[in-house]
Structures are given as C-alpha cells and as structure tokens.
Amino acid sequence: MAGEALIVVDVQNDFLPGGALAVPDGDLILPTVYALMMRFDHVILTQDWHPQNHQSFASNHQGFSPYDTITVDYGPQTLWPDHCVQGSNGAALHGSLPVDKAEMIIRKGMDPEIDSYSAFFENDRKTPTGLRGYLKERGLNKLTFCGLATDFCVAYSALDAKNCGFEVSVALAACAGIDLNGSLDLMLKTMNDSGVELLMGAL
C-alpha cells in the first residue's frame, strides 16, 4: 500500500448518537472504520476543534436557531448547535478508534471567524490546514476517505483532495450522512461528477 493513505474524518463523540450534532446511525460505521484503520499503513485523522465563540454556533447569534443560514464574509453559513468545543468530551475522538495507529491528527475549525468542513482548506477556501503539503512530502498520492458526515466534511475533503491532484476514493460503508435538505444525494452526485471514486461495498 505504498503511496496510499486513509483519512478518517471527524469520528468524534459529538457527531455520534447522544452527541450535540449526531449523525443518524453514525455509530454503525465504527467497526468498519476500525477495520480500515488496521488495514492501512498510513492513517490520518481529522478533528473538529472549535472555540466556544465560533461564529458557526447558533447560540452566538441572537434570534437565530440551529440549521438557520446567515451570510458571512465567505458566503452562506449554516448555523449549528454548539459542537466539538475544544477540550470537551464531545470533541474527543471516539474511544473505539485505534488512535495510536494515526500518523497525524489534523485539527480544523479553530478560527472563531471561519468554519471548516474540509481537511484541506477552511471554508473561506483560502486558509490551508497543511494536510496537502504533508501528504505530498510523504509521497502519499492515493487517498481513501471515511467518517462523518458523508455530505459535509467527508465530501468537502474528498473534493478538495481531487482538486489538489490526489487520486481519491470514499468508502461509503464507513461513512454516514446528515442529509440536510437533500444534501446527501447532492454531494454524492458532486463527488461522482468530479471523479471521486465512490466505493459501495466492503474494501
């Protein structure tokens, strides 16, 4: 598996059942994610890591509710329930993950003024996380993505990876989606149309 890496996106307590922004059936993917992590020689984890005053939190906007949309400097911004607050149990990676297997953990969404879905760029589409340079320097050019949520952080990461010149696949059996107003079908089509390989069965 030389040149290949698995990127596990945001498998954190707040995105799992019982969490502040739970992805439906998100816990069902955990055994598959574990198996994938054990198979790959190179594993990178991403972790949403927000300050309490993050502008994507509905609680920081008087008169707005979770899932409302506002306009910020870089365009439309969905407002979310408070989630993955730095240092909280909700922000912790799920205990079933073999975290010691990871070579790197990329934390994102730390700037209170910019949300971050992608593992490569914050939502202003300009601020890099540094992941592209790390992968290129390591010669890791074939990437497989899994994790939460299919239609947000996984999809944005996969699309950015493709745009950065990587060979990209998404292991759908190890992903779960939010499906906010049809977002799941939309992002699956967008990934497919962009040349991201969508893997339907077990790897």
Side-chain angles (χ1 to χ4, degrees), residues 137-157:
E137 285 198 3
R138 297 287 311 280
L140 299 170
N141 296 309
K142 184 176 181 180
L143 309 179
T144 299
F145 289 86
C146 68
L148 304 168
T150 315
D151 40 343
F152 284 91
C153 296
V154 173
Y156 278 80
S157 297

Side-chain angles (χ1 to χ4, degrees), residues 24 26 33 39 46 76 96 99 121 130 140 146 148 164 172 181 186 201:
V33 172
R39 274 191 52 202
T46 75
S96 70
V99 173
F121 295 96
L140 299 170
C146 68
L148 304 168
C164 289
L172 292 176
N181 301 319
L186 173 64

Side-chain angles (χ1 to χ4, degrees), residues 70-83:
I70 62 170
T71 300
V72 297
D73 290 345
Y74 50 83
Q77 170 66 56
T78 300
L79 296 179
W80 304 106
D82 292 19
H83 65 281

